[in-house]
Structure formats: structure tokens, C-alpha cells
Amino acid sequence: MKIGMRRLQLFILLFAASSLLVHSPSDFEANATDAWYNDSWEHRKKITTSLNTEISSDLTNFPTLISFTDSDLTKTTESDGTDIVFTASDGTTELAYEIERFDSSTGEIIAWVNIPTVSASENTDIYIYYKGTASTPSTVWDSNYKLVYHLNQTVDGTVDEITDASGTGNHGTAGGTGDKTFAVSRITNQVEAKIGYGQSFDGPTEPDLNDVGSGDFIWVNGVSSWPTDDVTVEFWVNVATDENSVNSMAILGYRAGGNSNELLLTRADELNMLVRGTKLLDSEVDAATSDWTHIMVVYADGANKIYQDGTLQASSTDSTDGPRANGNFVLGADIDQSTKVNNELVGDMDEFRISNTSRSADWAAASYANQNNPSSFLTIGPEGPLTVTITSSSGSSGDTINSSTLSYTATFSSTVSDFTIGDITVTGTADDSSPEASNFAGSGTTYTFDVEVSSSGTVIVDIAADAATDTGENGNSASNTYTLTVDLPPSGKSSTCTRHVILGNCGTIAINSDVYRIIDPLTNVPTTEVLVGQPVTVTLSTPDEPTHTKIHFASVHTEVFSLPLNHEQSAHIDYSIMNNKITYASQSQLFQIAGATHRISQDTNVKNLKLFEVVFTMVFAKPMDTSHIVVETKNAHGIPETLYLMSALKVNENLAQALTLEEKSKFSIIDPELEMDPEPEMDPEQEMDPEPEPTKKEKKSKKKRR
């Protein structure tokens, strides 16, 4: 029920060195809000990729690794992540994607998203949407890919258990058939690898004895759509470093008849490429790095290259006919003339791919950077939609209040930088149906504003959808609608109160700048919190009449922790206006300073209505738990009134507790322990009646206080 703002020079003098925290607006300038993909999805986040730092030209149809853990993803309704989709930067165009791993309990996701164009000049943005309806994604691997193994299966030798994600159907089997008859010793093992799971190859049982075909391998019988012109092979490998004594280990072999492998990658202290029996590259690349290394091998007639960890390591211009189609393929070994497996690999592999195109140096660099440390190239924005909630310290929505100043707070779910006072919609019947927002301030997620009115009526505040945007370019959803009904005295009201009370009906009590119209003797008010050493003012305001409502005597009690009716023994300040006498009592030595003064002012809401005000000021010497404030007044006829403000004040600890004499001297009121200046004479037209002789009961009460 806050109804006005008054600032005392007393405060200004004491806190001139204090400052308010001012938050600078973000440098971010939001673009227009991107459209929402589908109302079936409840949330989204903007993902910004910065692979442009690694490349010199744009990449087309680039399968980008999106890997992160975010607890917000646990909101999905499908445990396998099938209610997750990805869109382009416009927020609506669905992208091809594949989810390799999703954990609905932690929010971990490993996904491959086909970004149509990865820009070399600027960041590339996409969106992830989640908590929607189950969907089936389109393949992320374009027609250039002929084989894509994530190698994340748990294998037991079942035919075609190693899934080809390319859609070509080149599924693999751990071990094989014929001379490659299934045997336990030939089955690869699932391991935690570079990206999710991979496969471990243990090598032959007795390599020094040329134990042909005894080691682990993955076999594809009758490969379809094998590249016959340009070929690019990409994979992660971790070759065991203690196997350097092995004469030869093969990464892959492919044979389509004839006397030699159509395509062969071997490691014999170095990585070599052979096509149809011709060695085209004899590099110095050693895959036994004691850690994962990324290899990309390119065969193009007269332009052969080997990249390691995104960097070109070897090249040649040697030429030969390309591989033939419809052969057999083995991963982790090679194939001899009798289609037996030889030279098995000792090490782990992950993310093996073959495509029928010559990939570029930029492709190698981007693939390595993206897959090696995806978090360094991904920025995950805040969750959308952006929400905004309106609250008010003046009252709950739907309340009827007596305040002419209504104070509001708008709180966003994430930081915005483009929210202005013009984004606030204020309607209602107050002020001839034209209430307006004012005193706008704030930044980041929190903004404050007031609505000041001079006539009664409703004040309705809301914020429309897409009024602001966050750093993820999420526009806000529409806020709640906040409605307050203002009931002010009619303009031109007589200065005579309708009830012969002192503060009730026409009067108010203010704690610092928060002013309350008191209707009931026991009134619940918000708790004002201050620090030790900070002034607290309690201002009693009533119409300036010479008889009934004029205050002749007033007391303010605090340190009241239980029933407010038991306030007589609490710390208090007494002020006799007629005698210009201030006294205070506090057995706990609660106050550093305690004083009082009075004045006449003009009511800001009622024309020609002057107010008589008594201002109590307290500076606390120590903390105080949440206390009631009890106000006692008497008029010229000795008629008393006692009002209770429930849980009105709390004093918190402050390291700088004690005021110096110099600081105390800044106050316009005097410490009661010091000599007081005489009070200026009152307006002769407002001369008060003499203070009535105290009753026996009052005399007894004063003795107890002493």
C-alpha cells in the first residue's frame, strides 16, 4: 500500500558517499526474433559454431558434431531423444541430423547435423529444439558418403551388426565367414573412444608366427557403391605404442579380385596408401601417438594427400587406375589373394568414413577441430522461449490500494538488452484512462518502473510477446497481466476527516519512503530492512486541524518481537510537541541516535489539504530481528490511538557500525543526550491547546519506563 515518495535531507547528508549499482547494457544488439519451428516443441536453444576460424572457404553439407551436456535437455519427453530436432538459423528450416548418443537423465547429447553451408567469414548459427513430438530425422550423410561407421555397437559376431549410417547398406560383421569363420578371438570390443563409443582391435594371437586371421576385424562381404574414382577416407585411430615391433599393421583393405588390394592403408612404422597394388603415398605419419589422432587420406588421380590432425603431412602426384567396384572390405586388417585376413591392427578406432569425393584441406581442418574439441567451437545460448514476469511491491495483482505511485519489476528468464519503457503496455481507467509508465531503470534480466496516477481507477500492466530478445535471439512470450485498483481521495476533498481519529482514515505512517494508509489497528506491512548505522525514519502524517486530529504527543516503539500488545517495555522514542521534549528508552542500548521533529506540508493528492507531520529518526547501534512497530498518539483532548505495524522493521549486521561525532553532526536532528535547540514557534493560526495533565495511570507508566 505504498502511496508516496518523500526524501529527507537528513539521508542525503549521511549517505552522500553511497552509490547505487548501475549495470551497463550489453553490447549485444539483437536481430529480429527468429520464427518458432513448431508449436509442438516447447523449448529451443541457439547454437553458434565458430569453425570459420579454421577454414578459408565455405564448406557445403558439412556433418557437424554437436556434443554437449545440458541439464535443460532432461526436459525431453522421449528417453531416446526422438523429440529433438535441429533447424537452420531462421528457426524453421529443419536440418538433417543423427543422434549418436543421448542420455535423458543428464542431458548429454552427441549428434551429427548436416549444416548446408559453414561460413568461412562468420559464425554459423543453428537451433536445437526439444520437448516436442517424436520425429524421424532425415540422413545427415549426403550421397558422397558410401560408408559411415560410428563403431558404437556392442558386438557378438552377428551378421551386419556394425551399422552403416550412410544409408548405402554397407553393414559390417565382427569376424566373418569362410576362412574368416566366426571365432571369439576375432570379435572387436566396444570401448569409450574419441566420440562416444568405438571399437578395440586386439591384433593376431601370435603375430610373430604369422597367425593369419586370428585377430579382430570387421568384414563387409560384397560392398555396394564403392568409390571408383576419387576417394576420401576419414577416421580416428589410437594405435598401441608398444606394437612398434610389428612389421606391418593394416588400417583397412579392399579387394575386388586380382592380385592385390584395390585400396590399402597400412602402418609399418608409417602410414602408406596403396591403390591396386601401387604405392602412391609413403608418408612419415606415425599413427602410434599414444593418443587419438585424426587421419584423412585422399586419393585423386595425380593428387594424393594424407592429413593428420587437420594438417597436410604428405602428398604425391603419382597416378594409377582407381579401385574397382563390388569387392570385399575389411576394417582393421588387409585381404590376401585367397581372401584371408592378414596384418591385423592393434589399437582402437572411431568414426570411420569413406566417400567418393576428394575432400579439401579446409574439410580436414574443420573435421579435426570440430571433433577434437567441440566445446571450444560451440556456444550454447539461453533456453527459449524467453519469459518475463511482472511483480509489484505496491500490492498483489487484483488488490485495491490507496497509493498514487505504483512500483513494478519486470524479470526476464535470461539477459536482454533491447527492452525499453516503450515495450511496457499500461492501460486502465485511472488518470482518465491514460496511465503511463515512468522512472524506467535496469539491465540484464531485471527492470523496474513506476506508474504514477492522480485519480482513482484501474491500472493494468503487461508486456507483449516479442517485446525483447535475448542473446539466443529468443523473443519473449507474453507476460502475466498485472491489475491494481487505485482508490484515492477525490480531488477537492474537504480537509475534515470522516472519523475523529488521529491517523486512521485520513492519516498515514511512513517507514523511510514507503507510506501506508492505516485502516485497521493491526496492519500487515512489508518488512523494511536496513543496516546498522543507517537512519530509519517513521513519519506520522495527519490533516493539519487544530482539534481532533492534530498530534500533541507521539511515541514509536520497536524491539517488539512477540505480541505487539506487550510493547510497553520495548525500546521507544517519546515526543511531546507542546513541550518540545524528546525522550527515549532502551535497556538494550539499541540506538546510536534517536530524535524527532515536526513540520507542516501540502498533501500531494488532495487539493488545499495541509498535513501535520511528526518525523522520528533512529540510527541503530546493533542488529535487531524482525520487529513490530507500535505507534501511540494523543490529540489535544488527550484521546489516545494505538496502531500496530506487524513485522515492519529488521536491522541487519554492518561492519561499519559506529558513527563518529562528526558523522552525527551531519544530522539536522539532535542526539537526545545532547542539548537541543529550541523548536521554532508554530504557526499562530495553528496554535495548540495546552498538553493535558497526565492521569495517575500515565504517571505510573512513566515511572516504570524510568
Side-chain angles (χ1 to χ4, degrees):
M1 298 186 292
K2 182 179 173 185
I3 66 170
M5 298 284 290
R6 298 186 176 93
R7 305 195 181 274
L8 301 176
Q9 293 181 348
L10 170 67
F11 285 17
I12 297 174
L13 291 172
L14 182 64
F15 299 110
S18 303
S19 61
L20 297 175
L21 293 176
V22 179
H23 302 281
S24 301
S26 168
D27 293 331
F28 171 79
E29 296 182 4
N31 299 320
T33 306
D34 293 322
W36 200 263
Y37 168 65
N38 190 307
D39 289 341
S40 298
W41 273 262
E42 295 186 18
H43 304 290
R44 78 176 183 185
K45 292 193 174 190
K46 184 179 180 181
I47 300 175
T48 298
T49 67
S50 56
L51 289 174
N52 55 293
T53 60
E54 303 298 313
I55 57 179
S56 58
S57 59
D58 295 352
L59 300 178
T60 302
N61 292 331
F62 184 73
T64 307
L65 175 62
I66 305 296
S67 179
F68 61 94
T69 299
D70 191 327
S71 60
D72 285 337
L73 296 184
T74 62
K75 299 172 184 177
T76 58
T77 56
E78 304 294 328
S79 61
D80 59 356
T82 51
D83 61 338
I84 294 174
V85 297
F86 294 85
T87 74
S89 59
D90 60 6
T92 59
T93 303
E94 184 176 340
L95 301 177
Y97 66 97
E98 178 188 343
I99 296 177
E100 181 177 340
R101 177 192 288 183
F102 178 69
D103 189 336
S104 60
S105 64
T106 64
E108 179 196 18
I109 186 170
I110 300 175
W112 301 95
V113 180
N114 186 316
I115 298 181
T117 301
V118 176
S119 173
S121 59
E122 59 185 1
N123 293 341
T124 301
D125 298 329
I126 63 174
Y127 284 101
I128 180 173
Y129 286 80
Y130 50 98
K131 196 177 182 182
T133 57
S135 62
T136 302
S138 54
T139 181
V140 68
W141 313 102
D142 66 19
S143 59
N144 288 313
Y145 285 100
K146 301 306 176 183
L147 186 151
V148 175
Y149 288 164
H150 298 304
L151 299 174
N152 56 1
Q153 291 80 16
T154 301
V155 301
D156 59 7
T158 303
V159 175
D160 292 346
E161 64 189 349
I162 305 296
T163 303
D164 177 14
S166 73
T168 306
N170 288 318
H171 308 301
T173 302
T177 60
D179 288 324
K180 299 155 289 295
T181 302
F182 167 79
V184 174
S185 62
R186 298 178 176 184
I187 299 175
T188 58
N189 295 303
Q190 182 194 69
V191 293
E192 283 285 350
K194 183 63 179 180
I195 302 167
Y197 292 120
Q199 297 293 316
S200 179
F201 300 78
D202 292 339
T205 306
E206 298 183 55
D208 293 338
L209 299 178
N210 195 27
D211 191 8
V212 176
S214 67
D216 304 334
F217 59 89
I218 295 172
W219 180 268
V220 184
N221 192 38
V223 175
S224 64
S225 303
W226 189 262
T228 57
D229 293 317
D230 295 347
V231 184
T232 297
V233 183
E234 305 168 72
F235 56 91
W236 286 90
V237 66
N238 185 3
V239 178
T241 57
D242 60 351
E243 299 296 333
N244 285 326
S245 61
V246 178
N247 291 327
S248 181
M249 289 189 291
I251 304 294
L252 68 88
Y254 172 73
R255 183 179 288 272
N259 295 324
S260 57
N261 286 267
E262 301 290 314
L263 177 66
L264 178 64
L265 293 179
T266 66
R267 180 199 161 264
D269 298 327
E270 59 196 17
L271 194 62
N272 304 314
M273 178 177 66
L274 292 86
V275 177
R276 301 185 72 169
T278 301
K279 183 182 290 187
L280 299 182
L281 270 173
D282 189 356
S283 77
E284 296 182 357
V285 174
D286 187 355
T289 61
S290 77
D291 200 355
W292 289 96
T293 186
H294 183 263
I295 302 295
M296 189 175 93
V297 180
V298 178
Y299 163 75
D301 195 17
N304 314 297
K305 297 179 176 68
I306 294 181
Y307 298 86
Q308 185 177 32
D309 294 341
T311 302
L312 180 66
Q313 300 293 338
S315 63
S316 77
T317 58
D318 295 340
S319 178
T320 187
D321 293 335
R324 292 169 290 187
N326 302 318
N328 297 318
F329 170 75
V330 63
L331 182 63
D334 65 17
I335 308 172
D336 67 12
Q337 294 182 5
S338 57
T339 65
K340 291 182 178 180
V341 175
N342 294 279
N343 301 319
E344 294 95 323
L345 175 70
V346 183
D348 302 335
M349 294 187 69
D350 198 9
E351 294 299 329
F352 183 88
R353 305 168 190 175
I354 295 178
S355 51
N356 66 345
T357 187
S358 175
R359 303 291 188 188
S360 66
D362 284 333
W363 191 280
S367 296
Y368 169 72
N370 173 225
Q371 297 173 31
N372 183 55
N373 187 10
S375 62
S376 65
F377 294 93
L378 299 178
T379 301
I380 313 300
E383 183 176 76
L386 175 68
T387 62
V388 56
T389 303
I390 299 173
T391 57
S392 174
S393 60
S394 301
S396 301
S397 184
D399 283 356
T400 298
I401 62 175
N402 306 109
S403 175
S404 61
T405 301
L406 287 60
S407 297
Y408 299 88
T409 300
T411 305
F412 291 87
S413 57
S414 59
T415 297
V416 300
S417 61
D418 58 348
F419 184 61
T420 68
I421 192 171
D423 297 319
I424 303 167
T425 302
V426 185
T427 58
T429 60
D431 278 2
D432 297 325
S433 300
S434 60
E436 295 180 354
S438 61
N439 301 326
F440 179 83
S443 65
T445 61
T446 306
Y447 297 81
T448 60
F449 58 94
D450 294 334
V451 176
E452 297 181 359
V453 297
S454 59
S455 63
S456 300
T458 57
V459 176
I460 304 169
V461 178
D462 61 56
I463 299 168
D466 295 330
T469 52
D470 61 19
T471 55
E473 296 186 14
N474 299 304
N476 66 280
S477 56
S479 73
N480 58 311
T481 299
Y482 212 96
T483 302
L484 293 172
T485 300
V486 179
D487 184 15
L488 298 177
S491 180
K493 175 181 176 179
S494 166
S495 62
T496 302
C497 290
T498 58
R499 294 191 309 190
H500 290 170
V501 292
I502 303 173
L503 295 176
N505 194 37
C506 289
T508 61
I509 300 176
I511 303 175
N512 288 346
S513 59
D514 295 332
V515 187
Y516 306 100
R517 190 177 301 278
I518 307 302
I519 305 299
D520 301 313
L522 273 72
T523 303
N524 290 311
V525 299
T527 302
T528 297
E529 295 193 35
V530 299
L531 298 175
V532 170
Q534 289 184 329
V536 178
T537 60
V538 178
T539 304
L540 315 181
S541 181
T542 186
D544 184 36
E545 295 187 354
T547 54
H548 297 95
T549 62
K550 178 72 73 70
I551 303 171
H552 278 219
F553 176 84
S555 294
V556 172
H557 297 252
T558 188
E559 211 174 20
V560 183
F561 303 117
S562 56
L563 293 174
L565 299 177
N566 300 330
H567 67 276
E568 292 294 337
Q569 302 304 315
S570 65
H572 60 272
I573 308 170
D574 301 327
Y575 184 31
S576 175
I577 291 97
M578 280 300 296
N579 298 329
N580 194 26
K581 183 178 181 181
I582 305 171
T583 60
Y584 75 89
S586 176
Q587 295 182 356
S588 63
Q589 299 181 339
L590 185 64
F591 302 122
Q592 293 188 54
I593 294 177
T597 187
H598 65 270
R599 64 193 181 194
I600 297 173
S601 64
Q602 173 62 49
D603 192 307
T604 58
N605 297 316
V606 182
K607 187 178 180 181
N608 299 323
L609 177 59
K610 290 186 176 181
L611 300 175
F612 183 78
E613 296 183 332
V614 179
V615 183
F616 292 85
T617 300
M618 299 156 279
V619 178
F620 289 82
K622 59 184 182 180
M624 180 183 71
D625 291 337
T626 303
S627 168
H628 313 300
I629 289 180
V630 182
V631 175
E632 295 182 323
T633 57
K634 292 180 183 178
N635 64 8
H637 301 287
I639 299 174
E641 182 180 59
T642 304
L643 301 172
Y644 307 90
L645 278 65
M646 310 300 291
S647 302
L649 183 63
K650 181 180 182 182
V651 182
N652 297 312
E653 186 71 61
N654 187 355
L655 294 178
Q657 296 183 10
L659 293 179
T660 65
L661 287 176
E662 183 181 355
E663 290 172 329
K664 290 183 180 182
S665 69
K666 296 179 181 180
F667 287 87
S668 61
I669 57 174
I670 307 298
D671 189 328
E673 295 179 350
L674 305 176
E675 183 180 355
M676 294 188 65
D677 296 329
E679 180 74 9
E681 294 185 3
M682 299 184 64
D683 188 339
E685 296 181 3
Q686 304 292 334
E687 186 176 354
M688 295 185 172
D689 296 332
E691 178 77 5
E693 186 71 18
T695 63
K696 291 181 179 180
K697 185 177 179 181
E698 289 172 338
K699 289 179 179 178
K700 191 178 288 184
S701 175
K702 287 183 178 180
K703 287 181 180 179
K704 287 182 180 179
R705 292 175 183 175
R706 294 193 186 101

